[in-house]
Each structure stands twice: as structure tokens, then as C-alpha cells.
Amino acid sequence: MAYKTKLQVTTKIERDLDLEEEEFIQPEELTEYINDAITIIEAQINTLGLKDQYLRKRTTLSLVSGTADYAIPTDLYEDKIKEVVYSNGATIYGVKPLTGSSSAEEIEHLNRYQTTEYYRYRVRSDSSAAKYFQLIPAARETVADVIIIEYFR
């Protein structure tokens, strides 16, 4: 599916409706119409049960031994994550999120004593509003594209 910029959409609408020289629709108003149309389409996709087909995205993370925080795409939000999978050779398992009630003490315990062979995760933000995928415990290995995150945009 090809993504179009706002300029491309606006240009096509103006050309198709012969509005290039017209001034009765202001640019801000046209932007509102475009956003309204997107909202309607997204609602229809959800109503028809096609969310998985049209709105699902995938990203991968490469692990670096000793590293816990990994930058994630700006359109990835914790509540939109569908599934996180660890896949390295014959070892494949679902990576479970830490719940909101997980305490700093529990996270520190998992990091320090590594009481499990399985990773857990949470999404956190720093003061600059950057979002990070925090792997708990910190990565024990350096390997490319081993964490698969499926999410809805």
C-alpha cells in the first residue's frame, strides 16, 4: 500500500475536482475534510473487522548485550501493540509485557538476578517525549532483528 503525503492528496483532490484556481475552500478547511475522511475510513475498517489486514505494522529490534532501552518508531504506542515475539533460531516465544503494577523493585530484581530465561518488556518515555522499548532483563546477547513487534498504526 503506497502512502500519500498531504500535498499529494490535496493536489489530486484539487485536480480531480477542478479546484486549482478556486479560493472558496481554504487549505485548513481542506485538511479538515481529509482528516474527517481518514477517520470515517478507519471506523469502517474497524467495523468490518479488517483492522489486522489494513492497519497492522511490523518492526524488529536488534539486541545489544547489556542494553535494555531501544528506540521505537514514533507511531508505535504501548496500547497498540498486538504481539511481541523473540525469534532466534530454534528459540521462539512471546515476550510478555510487564503490567502497570510492576514495581521498580520487581524490575530491578529481574535485571539483577535474571531469574528467568525469558524477556519481558515495557514501553517508556523520557523527558524529551522519546519512546523506548525497555527489555527486562537487559539483553544477554548481541543479535540482529530478534525481537519482532506487531502493532496497529
Side-chain angles (χ1 to χ4, degrees):
M1 176 182 347
Y3 294 104
K4 305 288 185 199
T5 65
K6 178 184 168 275
L7 179 61
Q8 290 171 317
V9 172
T10 301
T11 301
K12 178 164 177 39
I13 291 169
E14 288 176 344
R15 187 181 57 242
D16 288 356
L17 299 176
D18 196 23
L19 298 173
E20 291 102 343
E21 305 300 321
E22 299 295 338
E23 295 180 11
F24 65 91
I25 297 179
Q26 298 301 310
E28 301 81 21
E29 185 180 8
L30 188 54
T31 299
E32 287 179 26
Y33 289 136
I34 292 169
N35 288 334
D36 288 347
I38 291 169
T39 300
I40 291 167
I41 300 278
E42 286 178 341
Q44 287 295 315
I45 287 171
N46 286 326
T47 300
L48 296 172
L50 301 173
K51 187 175 179 181
D52 277 352
Q53 193 173 350
Y54 288 99
L55 300 178
R56 196 169 189 155
K57 287 183 80 173
R58 170 187 274 220
T59 191
T60 60
L61 300 177
S62 296
L63 301 185
V64 177
S65 184
T67 301
D69 292 340
Y70 298 88
I72 54 177
T74 56
D75 66 344
L76 193 157
Y77 298 95
E78 185 171 18
D79 62 337
K80 300 288 186 178
I81 293 176
K82 174 77 172 163
E83 185 175 19
V84 178
V85 176
Y86 174 90
S87 178
N88 187 11
T91 306
I92 301 170
Y93 62 87
V95 180
K96 304 295 181 206
L98 283 173
T99 62
S101 62
S102 296
S103 66
E105 180 182 354
E106 180 183 2
I107 292 169
E108 187 60 29
H109 187 269
L110 287 168
N111 277 325
R112 183 166 297 173
Y113 300 111
Q114 298 184 9
T115 56
T116 178
E117 62 186 73
Y118 299 114
Y119 291 116
R120 306 275 301 275
Y121 78 90
R122 72 177 179 171
V123 175
R124 64 173 197 81
S125 300
D126 66 12
S127 59
S128 69
K131 291 183 292 187
Y132 296 94
F133 183 91
Q134 184 179 21
L135 198 61
I136 301 160
R140 297 180 288 263
E141 59 202 325
T142 298
V143 62
D145 299 329
V146 73
I147 298 288
I148 302 163
I149 304 172
E150 296 266 342
Y151 65 101
F152 296 113
R153 55 189 153 99

mmCIF file of all heavy atoms in Angstrom, residues 43-80:
data_model
loop_
_atom_site.group_PDB
_atom_site.id
_atom_site.type_symbol
_atom_site.label_atom_id
_atom_site.label_comp_id
_atom_site.label_asym_id
_atom_site.label_seq_id
_atom_site.Cartn_x
_atom_site.Cartn_y
_atom_site.Cartn_z
ATOM 1 N N ALA A 43 -12.874 3.968 10.818
ATOM 2 C CA ALA A 43 -14.045 3.415 11.505
ATOM 3 C C ALA A 43 -14.642 2.266 10.696
ATOM 4 O O ALA A 43 -15.034 1.236 11.257
ATOM 5 C CB ALA A 43 -15.088 4.503 11.751
ATOM 6 N N GLN A 44 -14.721 2.433 9.387
ATOM 7 C CA GLN A 44 -15.256 1.371 8.526
ATOM 8 C C GLN A 44 -14.362 0.130 8.571
ATOM 9 O O GLN A 44 -14.856 -0.989 8.622
ATOM 10 C CB GLN A 44 -15.403 1.863 7.082
ATOM 11 C CG GLN A 44 -16.551 2.819 6.880
ATOM 12 C CD GLN A 44 -17.881 2.144 7.136
ATOM 13 O OE1 GLN A 44 -18.131 1.035 6.695
ATOM 14 N NE2 GLN A 44 -18.742 2.811 7.889
ATOM 15 N N ILE A 45 -13.056 0.343 8.554
ATOM 16 C CA ILE A 45 -12.110 -0.782 8.632
ATOM 17 C C ILE A 45 -12.325 -1.544 9.932
ATOM 18 O O ILE A 45 -12.381 -2.774 9.946
ATOM 19 C CB ILE A 45 -10.654 -0.274 8.501
ATOM 20 C CG1 ILE A 45 -10.380 0.140 7.047
ATOM 21 C CG2 ILE A 45 -9.654 -1.338 8.951
ATOM 22 C CD1 ILE A 45 -9.063 0.860 6.831
ATOM 23 N N ASN A 46 -12.471 -0.810 11.041
ATOM 24 C CA ASN A 46 -12.710 -1.462 12.336
ATOM 25 C C ASN A 46 -14.058 -2.164 12.364
ATOM 26 O O ASN A 46 -14.168 -3.294 12.850
ATOM 27 C CB ASN A 46 -12.621 -0.441 13.478
ATOM 28 C CG ASN A 46 -11.193 -0.040 13.751
ATOM 29 O OD1 ASN A 46 -10.281 -0.840 13.617
ATOM 30 N ND2 ASN A 46 -10.996 1.199 14.137
ATOM 31 N N THR A 47 -15.102 -1.516 11.838
ATOM 32 C CA THR A 47 -16.442 -2.094 11.827
ATOM 33 C C THR A 47 -16.485 -3.392 11.027
ATOM 34 O O THR A 47 -17.149 -4.353 11.416
ATOM 35 C CB THR A 47 -17.463 -1.090 11.240
ATOM 36 O OG1 THR A 47 -17.454 0.081 12.050
ATOM 37 C CG2 THR A 47 -18.858 -1.662 11.195
ATOM 38 N N LEU A 48 -15.779 -3.423 9.932
ATOM 39 C CA LEU A 48 -15.774 -4.603 9.064
ATOM 40 C C LEU A 48 -14.800 -5.686 9.538
ATOM 41 O O LEU A 48 -14.676 -6.731 8.903
ATOM 42 C CB LEU A 48 -15.434 -4.203 7.625
ATOM 43 C CG LEU A 48 -16.458 -3.286 6.949
ATOM 44 C CD1 LEU A 48 -15.919 -2.788 5.610
ATOM 45 C CD2 LEU A 48 -17.780 -4.022 6.761
ATOM 46 N N GLY A 49 -14.093 -5.425 10.641
ATOM 47 C CA GLY A 49 -13.149 -6.408 11.175
ATOM 48 C C GLY A 49 -11.906 -6.568 10.331
ATOM 49 O O GLY A 49 -11.298 -7.635 10.304
ATOM 50 N N LEU A 50 -11.510 -5.523 9.635
ATOM 51 C CA LEU A 50 -10.356 -5.587 8.734
ATOM 52 C C LEU A 50 -9.112 -4.910 9.304
ATOM 53 O O LEU A 50 -8.158 -4.652 8.574
ATOM 54 C CB LEU A 50 -10.714 -4.959 7.384
ATOM 55 C CG LEU A 50 -11.887 -5.607 6.655
ATOM 56 C CD1 LEU A 50 -12.263 -4.805 5.417
ATOM 57 C CD2 LEU A 50 -11.568 -7.040 6.296
ATOM 58 N N LYS A 51 -9.141 -4.623 10.598
ATOM 59 C CA LYS A 51 -8.035 -3.911 11.231
ATOM 60 C C LYS A 51 -6.703 -4.636 11.013
ATOM 61 O O LYS A 51 -5.704 -4.016 10.684
ATOM 62 C CB LYS A 51 -8.327 -3.753 12.721
ATOM 63 C CG LYS A 51 -7.363 -2.902 13.469
ATOM 64 C CD LYS A 51 -7.854 -2.729 14.902
ATOM 65 C CE LYS A 51 -6.896 -1.902 15.718
ATOM 66 N NZ LYS A 51 -7.346 -1.763 17.098
ATOM 67 N N ASP A 52 -6.684 -5.963 11.219
ATOM 68 C CA ASP A 52 -5.456 -6.733 11.030
ATOM 69 C C ASP A 52 -4.916 -6.609 9.616
ATOM 70 O O ASP A 52 -3.717 -6.585 9.390
ATOM 71 C CB ASP A 52 -5.690 -8.215 11.333
ATOM 72 C CG ASP A 52 -5.602 -8.527 12.810
ATOM 73 O OD1 ASP A 52 -5.221 -7.636 13.582
ATOM 74 O OD2 ASP A 52 -5.917 -9.662 13.189
ATOM 75 N N GLN A 53 -5.813 -6.535 8.660
ATOM 76 C CA GLN A 53 -5.417 -6.516 7.254
ATOM 77 C C GLN A 53 -4.862 -5.160 6.812
ATOM 78 O O GLN A 53 -3.932 -5.099 6.028
ATOM 79 C CB GLN A 53 -6.626 -6.889 6.412
ATOM 80 C CG GLN A 53 -6.320 -7.200 4.983
ATOM 81 C CD GLN A 53 -7.559 -7.727 4.275
ATOM 82 O OE1 GLN A 53 -8.574 -8.021 4.893
ATOM 83 N NE2 GLN A 53 -7.468 -7.846 2.973
ATOM 84 N N TYR A 54 -5.435 -4.069 7.312
ATOM 85 C CA TYR A 54 -5.077 -2.750 6.797
ATOM 86 C C TYR A 54 -4.254 -1.879 7.734
ATOM 87 O O TYR A 54 -3.579 -0.970 7.270
ATOM 88 C CB TYR A 54 -6.353 -1.985 6.418
ATOM 89 C CG TYR A 54 -6.993 -2.526 5.177
ATOM 90 C CD1 TYR A 54 -8.071 -3.384 5.258
ATOM 91 C CD2 TYR A 54 -6.502 -2.198 3.917
ATOM 92 C CE1 TYR A 54 -8.664 -3.900 4.120
ATOM 93 C CE2 TYR A 54 -7.079 -2.711 2.772
ATOM 94 C CZ TYR A 54 -8.160 -3.560 2.880
ATOM 95 O OH TYR A 54 -8.724 -4.067 1.756
ATOM 96 N N LEU A 55 -4.338 -2.113 9.030
ATOM 97 C CA LEU A 55 -3.687 -1.192 9.958
ATOM 98 C C LEU A 55 -2.517 -1.820 10.717
ATOM 99 O O LEU A 55 -1.918 -1.169 11.560
ATOM 100 C CB LEU A 55 -4.717 -0.652 10.964
ATOM 101 C CG LEU A 55 -5.888 0.107 10.351
ATOM 102 C CD1 LEU A 55 -6.862 0.544 11.435
ATOM 103 C CD2 LEU A 55 -5.416 1.303 9.541
ATOM 104 N N ARG A 56 -2.178 -3.054 10.424
ATOM 105 C CA ARG A 56 -1.121 -3.745 11.162
ATOM 106 C C ARG A 56 0.248 -3.428 10.568
ATOM 107 O O ARG A 56 0.420 -3.424 9.353
ATOM 108 C CB ARG A 56 -1.380 -5.243 11.120
ATOM 109 C CG ARG A 56 -0.598 -6.009 12.140
ATOM 110 C CD ARG A 56 -1.102 -7.422 12.216
ATOM 111 N NE ARG A 56 -0.496 -8.095 13.352
ATOM 112 C CZ ARG A 56 -1.041 -9.098 13.960
ATOM 113 N NH1 ARG A 56 -2.195 -9.555 13.585
ATOM 114 N NH2 ARG A 56 -0.428 -9.662 14.968
ATOM 115 N N LYS A 57 1.208 -3.177 11.449
ATOM 116 C CA LYS A 57 2.590 -2.923 11.024
ATOM 117 C C LYS A 57 3.525 -3.822 11.811
ATOM 118 O O LYS A 57 3.147 -4.360 12.849
ATOM 119 C CB LYS A 57 2.977 -1.460 11.263
ATOM 120 C CG LYS A 57 2.320 -0.496 10.281
ATOM 121 C CD LYS A 57 2.790 0.913 10.504
ATOM 122 C CE LYS A 57 4.143 1.134 9.878
ATOM 123 N NZ LYS A 57 4.553 2.544 9.947
ATOM 124 N N ARG A 58 4.743 -3.915 11.333
ATOM 125 C CA ARG A 58 5.755 -4.745 11.986
ATOM 126 C C ARG A 58 7.073 -3.987 12.019
ATOM 127 O O ARG A 58 7.430 -3.297 11.067
ATOM 128 C CB ARG A 58 5.926 -6.041 11.212
ATOM 129 C CG ARG A 58 7.099 -6.868 11.648
ATOM 130 C CD ARG A 58 7.307 -8.034 10.736
ATOM 131 N NE ARG A 58 6.457 -9.110 11.201
ATOM 132 C CZ ARG A 58 6.827 -10.387 11.225
ATOM 133 N NH1 ARG A 58 7.991 -10.747 10.771
ATOM 134 N NH2 ARG A 58 6.013 -11.301 11.677
ATOM 135 N N THR A 59 7.772 -4.137 13.134
ATOM 136 C CA THR A 59 9.124 -3.617 13.234
ATOM 137 C C THR A 59 9.952 -4.656 13.973
ATOM 138 O O THR A 59 9.404 -5.511 14.671
ATOM 139 C CB THR A 59 9.170 -2.244 13.948
ATOM 140 O OG1 THR A 59 10.471 -1.674 13.799
ATOM 141 C CG2 THR A 59 8.821 -2.353 15.421
ATOM 142 N N THR A 60 11.248 -4.603 13.794
ATOM 143 C CA THR A 60 12.134 -5.526 14.505
ATOM 144 C C THR A 60 13.176 -4.740 15.277
ATOM 145 O O THR A 60 13.499 -3.600 14.925
ATOM 146 C CB THR A 60 12.842 -6.497 13.544
ATOM 147 O OG1 THR A 60 13.617 -5.742 12.609
ATOM 148 C CG2 THR A 60 11.848 -7.372 12.812
ATOM 149 N N LEU A 61 13.680 -5.357 16.320
ATOM 150 C CA LEU A 61 14.749 -4.756 17.115
ATOM 151 C C LEU A 61 15.938 -5.700 17.127
ATOM 152 O O LEU A 61 15.780 -6.912 17.259
ATOM 153 C CB LEU A 61 14.290 -4.528 18.561
ATOM 154 C CG LEU A 61 13.101 -3.613 18.790
ATOM 155 C CD1 LEU A 61 12.753 -3.578 20.275
ATOM 156 C CD2 LEU A 61 13.381 -2.219 18.273
ATOM 157 N N SER A 62 17.115 -5.109 17.007
ATOM 158 C CA SER A 62 18.350 -5.871 17.145
ATOM 159 C C SER A 62 18.857 -5.669 18.566
ATOM 160 O O SER A 62 18.884 -4.540 19.063
ATOM 161 C CB SER A 62 19.396 -5.375 16.140
ATOM 162 O OG SER A 62 18.943 -5.612 14.828
ATOM 163 N N LEU A 63 19.239 -6.747 19.221
ATOM 164 C CA LEU A 63 19.684 -6.668 20.606
ATOM 165 C C LEU A 63 21.181 -6.441 20.685
ATOM 166 O O LEU A 63 21.939 -6.946 19.860
ATOM 167 C CB LEU A 63 19.321 -7.941 21.360
ATOM 168 C CG LEU A 63 17.841 -8.302 21.428
ATOM 169 C CD1 LEU A 63 17.645 -9.529 22.305
ATOM 170 C CD2 LEU A 63 17.019 -7.142 21.934
ATOM 171 N N VAL A 64 21.578 -5.691 21.713
ATOM 172 C CA VAL A 64 22.979 -5.447 22.013
ATOM 173 C C VAL A 64 23.177 -5.859 23.464
ATOM 174 O O VAL A 64 22.482 -5.352 24.353
ATOM 175 C CB VAL A 64 23.358 -3.963 21.807
ATOM 176 C CG1 VAL A 64 24.801 -3.722 22.203
ATOM 177 C CG2 VAL A 64 23.100 -3.540 20.368
ATOM 178 N N SER A 65 24.101 -6.763 23.689
ATOM 179 C CA SER A 65 24.318 -7.298 25.030
ATOM 180 C C SER A 65 24.493 -6.183 26.056
ATOM 181 O O SER A 65 25.244 -5.228 25.842
ATOM 182 C CB SER A 65 25.558 -8.201 25.027
ATOM 183 O OG SER A 65 25.722 -8.795 26.292
ATOM 184 N N GLY A 66 23.745 -6.276 27.163
ATOM 185 C CA GLY A 66 23.816 -5.296 28.237
ATOM 186 C C GLY A 66 22.909 -4.094 28.051
ATOM 187 O O GLY A 66 22.793 -3.265 28.940
ATOM 188 N N THR A 67 22.237 -3.990 26.906
ATOM 189 C CA THR A 67 21.371 -2.847 26.621
ATOM 190 C C THR A 67 19.925 -3.212 26.919
ATOM 191 O O THR A 67 19.445 -4.271 26.545
ATOM 192 C CB THR A 67 21.505 -2.430 25.139
ATOM 193 O OG1 THR A 67 22.869 -2.104 24.878
ATOM 194 C CG2 THR A 67 20.625 -1.233 24.813
ATOM 195 N N ALA A 68 19.236 -2.280 27.597
ATOM 196 C CA ALA A 68 17.831 -2.515 27.942
ATOM 197 C C ALA A 68 16.884 -1.657 27.118
ATOM 198 O O ALA A 68 15.782 -2.093 26.799
ATOM 199 C CB ALA A 68 17.597 -2.241 29.425
ATOM 200 N N ASP A 69 17.282 -0.429 26.770
ATOM 201 C CA ASP A 69 16.391 0.514 26.094
ATOM 202 C C ASP A 69 16.689 0.598 24.601
ATOM 203 O O ASP A 69 17.831 0.795 24.200
ATOM 204 C CB ASP A 69 16.524 1.911 26.699
ATOM 205 C CG ASP A 69 16.002 1.974 28.117
ATOM 206 O OD1 ASP A 69 15.214 1.096 28.494
ATOM 207 O OD2 ASP A 69 16.374 2.911 28.843
ATOM 208 N N TYR A 70 15.614 0.469 23.805
ATOM 209 C CA TYR A 70 15.735 0.516 22.352
ATOM 210 C C TYR A 70 14.729 1.515 21.798
ATOM 211 O O TYR A 70 13.561 1.506 22.186
ATOM 212 C CB TYR A 70 15.472 -0.871 21.754
ATOM 213 C CG TYR A 70 16.493 -1.893 22.226
ATOM 214 C CD1 TYR A 70 16.278 -2.610 23.395
ATOM 215 C CD2 TYR A 70 17.665 -2.090 21.528
ATOM 216 C CE1 TYR A 70 17.220 -3.526 23.849
ATOM 217 C CE2 TYR A 70 18.609 -3.008 21.972
ATOM 218 C CZ TYR A 70 18.381 -3.717 23.135
ATOM 219 O OH TYR A 70 19.323 -4.617 23.578
ATOM 220 N N ALA A 71 15.189 2.373 20.884
ATOM 221 C CA ALA A 71 14.296 3.350 20.254
ATOM 222 C C ALA A 71 13.266 2.607 19.408
ATOM 223 O O ALA A 71 13.572 1.572 18.806
ATOM 224 C CB ALA A 71 15.095 4.318 19.386
ATOM 225 N N ILE A 72 12.048 3.139 19.387
ATOM 226 C CA ILE A 72 10.970 2.520 18.607
ATOM 227 C C ILE A 72 10.370 3.556 17.667
ATOM 228 O O ILE A 72 10.550 4.757 17.859
ATOM 229 C CB ILE A 72 9.876 1.917 19.521
ATOM 230 C CG1 ILE A 72 9.344 2.965 20.507
ATOM 231 C CG2 ILE A 72 10.403 0.692 20.243
ATOM 232 C CD1 ILE A 72 8.215 2.469 21.384
ATOM 233 N N PRO A 73 9.640 3.112 16.641
ATOM 234 C CA PRO A 73 9.021 4.053 15.708
ATOM 235 C C PRO A 73 8.079 5.022 16.446
ATOM 236 O O PRO A 73 7.458 4.657 17.448
ATOM 237 C CB PRO A 73 8.232 3.153 14.759
ATOM 238 C CG PRO A 73 8.892 1.823 14.849
ATOM 239 C CD PRO A 73 9.393 1.714 16.254
ATOM 240 N N THR A 74 7.968 6.234 15.926
ATOM 241 C CA THR A 74 7.133 7.245 16.575
ATOM 242 C C THR A 74 5.653 6.896 16.541
ATOM 243 O O THR A 74 4.893 7.390 17.357
ATOM 244 C CB THR A 74 7.342 8.622 15.921
ATOM 245 O OG1 THR A 74 7.063 8.507 14.517
ATOM 246 C CG2 THR A 74 8.764 9.109 16.116
ATOM 247 N N ASP A 75 5.227 6.035 15.611
ATOM 248 C CA ASP A 75 3.811 5.677 15.537
ATOM 249 C C ASP A 75 3.468 4.433 16.354
ATOM 250 O O ASP A 75 2.367 3.916 16.286
ATOM 251 C CB ASP A 75 3.366 5.489 14.079
ATOM 252 C CG ASP A 75 4.014 4.302 13.389
ATOM 253 O OD1 ASP A 75 5.029 3.777 13.902
ATOM 254 O OD2 ASP A 75 3.526 3.898 12.325
ATOM 255 N N LEU A 76 4.414 3.959 17.165
ATOM 256 C CA LEU A 76 4.169 2.786 17.991
ATOM 257 C C LEU A 76 3.814 3.238 19.408
ATOM 258 O O LEU A 76 4.593 3.915 20.064
ATOM 259 C CB LEU A 76 5.410 1.898 18.023
ATOM 260 C CG LEU A 76 5.234 0.490 18.581
ATOM 261 C CD1 LEU A 76 6.331 -0.409 18.044
ATOM 262 C CD2 LEU A 76 5.209 0.433 20.069
ATOM 263 N N TYR A 77 2.619 2.878 19.853
ATOM 264 C CA TYR A 77 2.156 3.188 21.203
ATOM 265 C C TYR A 77 1.903 1.883 21.939
ATOM 266 O O TYR A 77 1.453 0.905 21.339
ATOM 267 C CB TYR A 77 0.860 4.015 21.166
ATOM 268 C CG TYR A 77 1.058 5.345 20.500
ATOM 269 C CD1 TYR A 77 0.769 5.503 19.150
ATOM 270 C CD2 TYR A 77 1.548 6.430 21.205
ATOM 271 C CE1 TYR A 77 0.959 6.720 18.516
ATOM 272 C CE2 TYR A 77 1.748 7.655 20.590
ATOM 273 C CZ TYR A 77 1.447 7.793 19.238
ATOM 274 O OH TYR A 77 1.646 8.997 18.629
ATOM 275 N N GLU A 78 2.171 1.884 23.233
ATOM 276 C CA GLU A 78 2.059 0.661 24.027
ATOM 277 C C GLU A 78 0.695 -0.002 23.883
ATOM 278 O O GLU A 78 0.596 -1.216 23.749
ATOM 279 C CB GLU A 78 2.350 0.969 25.495
ATOM 280 C CG GLU A 78 2.380 -0.262 26.364
ATOM 281 C CD GLU A 78 2.879 0.023 27.761
ATOM 282 O OE1 GLU A 78 2.881 1.197 28.174
ATOM 283 O OE2 GLU A 78 3.258 -0.931 28.432
ATOM 284 N N ASP A 79 -0.371 0.792 23.893
ATOM 285 C CA ASP A 79 -1.706 0.204 23.823
ATOM 286 C C ASP A 79 -2.070 -0.289 22.420
ATOM 287 O O ASP A 79 -3.124 -0.881 22.220
ATOM 288 C CB ASP A 79 -2.770 1.180 24.331
ATOM 289 C CG ASP A 79 -2.852 2.446 23.508
ATOM 290 O OD1 ASP A 79 -1.860 2.804 22.844
ATOM 291 O OD2 ASP A 79 -3.908 3.090 23.536
ATOM 292 N N LYS A 80 -1.200 -0.049 21.441
ATOM 293 C CA LYS A 80 -1.449 -0.520 20.076
ATOM 294 C C LYS A 80 -0.626 -1.762 19.727
ATOM 295 O O LYS A 80 -0.705 -2.273 18.622
ATOM 296 C CB LYS A 80 -1.118 0.586 19.059
ATOM 297 C CG LYS A 80 -1.935 1.845 19.232
ATOM 298 C CD LYS A 80 -3.344 1.626 18.812
ATOM 299 C CE LYS A 80 -4.120 2.928 18.859
ATOM 300 N NZ LYS A 80 -5.468 2.784 18.414
#
